[in-house]
Amino acid sequence: MKNSILIFALLITVSSFAQKKNTKALPPKDVFINELMSKMTLEEKLGQLNLPGAGDITTGQAQSSDIGKKIEEGKVGGLFNIKSVAKIKEVQRVAVEKSRLKIPLIFGMDVIHGYETTFPIPLGLSSSWDMPMIEKTARVAATEATADGINWTFSPMVDISRDPRWGRVAEGGGEDPYLGSAISKAMVNGYQNNDLTQTTSMMSCVKHFALYGAPEAGRDYNTVDMSKLKMYNEYFPPYKAAVDAGVGSVMASFNEIDGVPATGNKWLMTDLLRKQWGFRGFVVTDYTGIMEMSEHGMGDMQAVSALAMNAGIEMDMVSEGFLNTLKKSVDEGKVPMQQIDNAVRLILEAKYDLGLFHNPYKNCDEKRAKTEIYTPESKAFARKVAAESMVLLKNDNQLLPLKKSGTIAVVGPLANSRENMGGTWSVATKQDRSNSFLEGLKTVVGEKAKVVFAKGSNLDYDAEFEAKATMFDKGLQRDNRSSKEMINEALDVSKNADVILAVLGESAEMSGECSSRTNLEIPQSQKDLLNELLKTGKPVVLVLFTGRPLVLVEENKSVPAILNVWFPGSEAGLAISDVLFGDVVPSGKLTSTWPRSVGQIPIYYSHKNTGRPLGNSEGKFEKFKSNYIDERNEPLYSFGYGLSYTQFEYSNLKLSSNQLTKNGSITVSVDVKNSGNYDGKEIVQLYTRDLVGSITRPVKELKGFQKIEIKKGETKTITFTLSEEDLKFYNQNLDFVAEPGKFEVFVGTNSDTKNKEEFELVK
């Protein structure tokens, strides 16, 4: 009995000591890290730079697993793709109780557009043009992920892309550097909340640095080649915006830059990122980024690991090149010890800033995991966000909004698939909890309307293609009947319908990583179904799922109404129904140009003029002008395009002055009237054009936008302020300057607006 009491007392003492150890004040960061590093062996330092995947770790086996043993030996600095408080707590215990120096691990995950509460794919989110809302989505994601033990997210992806063949366009904010920068800042602020020590804050990792969104042929991981001018003026701004917002980490891209892979590019990682931009966090490779440099032709594992370290990479994801080769490179004088010490310091500083040395288990509270993930409040917010992100592409004769009455036929392979609602990179989503379009529609209409359903077609005629397009448990339960049987069933259920909702497009994994496409049309099986539905003479609404701009020339001609819903997330069916029935008036606008054909790509609004521009706006061919003989120049849908159920009229564009002086500003104002029958939101967009420059300048550049709510019949005066800073660009010497001269300013509903005034910048 006495022994039992003594053991119990010792346990209480040990427990109390552990709690005090986790909560006591630590020395200042520099002092603490200097002292810790003085105790570290080279092997332990290299361990801090090693980021393996969670691999074989399962609950109850952390210490005995292969990675668990490496953690105990001090050979792991962090883990990624491990989920749940129970698993993470167990693994962290190995690090802080079993390893010699008891350095906590950092835990990362691809929390891209929500955690278990899933928001629209990032391209969809960007179409809301609502920065406070976008920031809040990151805040909700951070709250949920940190409640599940995760403290580092590989997000946001801010790669500018003007090639929709590239599947990862789904993960970004579109084609424009100004809008992309605003989104980048909002996401970083949402994740980090300006204080990484908070239990609901997680470290953000901006990616993919750099230029990953411009691969040749639109093929993922492919070569990128562009001028420095294009880099600085068009592709770098969103990365820099993240750095300026205080992002804690940066992820290197797979592509090469000026002949050197980004993972080993010292100009990019040291000269630009650190010396020019002042980045103070750490850089992590993408998955196996170091070992992949060997395939680029940069040398064996030791050579490429040394190249990456000397370039300014601090953490090695999966390759284990740092762990296994850098000691030899140090011994051979190929890598300075100071370079490794700098890298280790940055990793330890990040852990200190996250509060992990104060409390390694700060994100391991089971109560939070039970009460802060997938809450009714976050689900309601996800429904709102999804509705705000949808883009009405066509609405002839005001077919939409629909009435909650009569018979509604729902047809299409994507209509009843919960698994595809979250879209690509929804790794934490519990797909079975999402509501499909059909389920959401039935919930919203209730007993007011009859809903009938038929699948109508498979995703694609080619079963092998469909298998590739429905990976990661996002299958569509392929129907083995003939296409004629499936179409006949769809026609049969539709014969008594008042309206047909054709739910078509891409599956979730037709876009995303390694989902490049050369054909950007809706698959032929679905086009054939749609054409048969149109032949019925009944009103047809195309409810379009996609992770990229598609080629919709045929559909735009033949279908009376098209609602692009992207992949809306957890509350997909409810949110789509909210818009279809007018409970939410659509307000989203495109952040990427939609081409008329693949042959126009790359196509984007802020292009340069040629010396022989086309002389008409009707698309008529002119010999010896810059045009095609088989296609018009302009896109199908322009950047910034999106319709509403109401109409907005612009008038009275004014400038406060026709001259802008150094350190001065001018006010741009415009009246916007809601002349339709619904209250609605309009995204007012301001563009400028630099008419004469030392280098050629784009025909238009976005310089401001406001999303405003205007009641029907109401007129609001919208104002913008322009300063010299807004007119700056990188010149031929890569100096950031605003040059004196004349400028045009445009304000309107999309990038095609002709509503303009002129002013002069004088110095």
Side-chain angles (χ1 to χ4, degrees), residues 28-173:
K29 182 164 59 177
D30 287 349
V31 175
F32 177 84
I33 291 175
N34 285 341
E35 183 179 348
L36 179 58
M37 288 184 64
S38 69
K39 300 174 184 177
M40 297 175 75
T41 65
L42 175 57
E43 288 78 6
E44 287 169 328
K45 290 178 179 179
L46 297 179
Q48 286 301 301
L49 312 183
N50 185 33
L51 181 69
D56 59 351
I57 292 182
T58 56
T59 304
Q61 298 178 350
Q63 191 170 345
S64 61
S65 69
D66 178 63
I67 292 178
K69 292 174 183 176
K70 287 183 178 179
I71 294 170
E72 188 172 346
E73 294 168 358
K75 294 180 178 179
V76 176
L79 287 177
F80 69 100
N81 287 352
I82 180 172
K83 180 186 176 187
S84 88
V85 166
K87 289 182 181 180
I88 288 173
K89 194 172 187 177
E90 185 180 354
V91 173
Q92 189 73 288
R93 185 174 286 115
V94 176
V96 300
E97 295 182 15
K98 299 293 183 180
S99 69
R100 187 178 78 89
L101 293 176
K102 302 177 172 36
I103 300 173
L105 301 174
I106 186 172
F107 294 95
M109 180 174 268
D110 285 292
V111 182
I112 306 299
H113 51 109
Y115 190 63
E116 287 191 13
T117 302
T118 309
F119 300 104
I121 58 170
L123 186 60
L125 272 178
S126 72
S127 298
S128 73
W129 296 60
D130 189 329
M131 297 308 111
M133 189 177 75
I134 290 173
E135 181 172 333
K136 187 177 176 182
T137 66
R139 187 89 291 277
V140 171
T143 298
E144 291 196 2
T146 56
D148 224 9
I150 299 158
N151 43 39
W152 184 25
T153 174
F154 306 128
S155 175
M157 192 202 92
V158 301
D159 300 310
I160 295 297
S161 182
R162 290 149 177 195
D163 190 336
R165 294 174 299 178
W166 187 58
R168 298 195 81 168
V169 68
E171 290 179 61

Side-chain angles (χ1 to χ4, degrees), residues 26 74 79 226 231 347 359 389 401 468 470 487-488 754:
L26 295 178
L79 287 177
M226 70 172 64
M231 292 181 199
I347 301 300
N359 179 10
S389 300
K468 291 185 288 188
T470 54
I487 288 176
N488 285 341
K754 306 295 191 294

Side-chain angles (χ1 to χ4, degrees), residues 489-518:
E489 181 187 41
L491 294 175
D492 185 57
V493 302
S494 300
K495 64 184 177 183
N496 295 318
D498 296 290
V499 64
I500 301 172
L501 304 181
V503 189
L504 311 175
E506 291 192 315
S507 59
E509 294 305 323
M510 279 176 72
S511 54
E513 184 168 359
C514 198
S515 291
S516 299
R517 295 181 64 192
T518 60

Side-chain angles (χ1 to χ4, degrees), residues 296-437:
H296 280 275
M298 305 304 289
D300 61 14
M301 181 61 88
Q302 183 184 353
V304 295
S305 298
L307 182 66
M309 173 55 62
N310 288 330
I313 299 291
E314 281 80 42
M315 188 169 259
D316 173 6
M317 184 187 288
V318 177
S319 295
E320 296 203 334
F322 286 177
L323 185 70
N324 296 324
T325 72
L326 284 188
K327 184 179 185 301
K328 183 179 180 184
S329 292
V330 169
D331 292 341
E332 294 175 352
K334 295 175 180 176
V335 174
M337 192 63 213
Q338 183 182 356
Q339 191 76 14
I340 292 175
D341 283 341
N342 288 341
V344 174
R345 180 176 296 277
L346 289 171
I347 301 300
L348 297 178
E349 284 180 349
K351 294 180 178 183
Y352 188 101
D353 292 341
L354 280 165
L356 293 176
F357 286 112
H358 297 76
N359 179 10
Y361 304 108
K362 65 170 276 198
N363 299 118
C364 295
D365 182 348
E366 289 87 348
K367 293 179 181 177
R368 283 192 64 209
K370 292 176 181 177
T371 60
E372 297 183 19
I373 299 175
Y374 202 64
T375 65
E377 294 78 15
S378 62
K379 288 167 62 181
F381 180 55
R383 180 175 179 175
K384 175 183 185 296
V385 173
E388 294 279 330
S389 300
M390 295 173 192
V391 183
L392 183 63
L393 298 176
K394 188 179 180 185
N395 193 24
D396 281 358
N397 301 317
Q398 295 292 294
L399 174 56
L400 295 175
L402 302 175
K403 294 179 180 179
K404 297 175 185 175
S405 62
T407 299
I408 302 170
V410 177
V411 178
L414 295 162
N416 198 27
S417 174
R418 291 180 177 183
E419 296 80 6
N420 279 268
M421 296 301 97
T424 188
W425 279 121
S426 49
V427 296
T429 302
K430 294 185 177 179
Q431 309 288 359
D432 61 335
R433 294 197 307 202
S434 298
N435 52 74
S436 71
F437 171 65

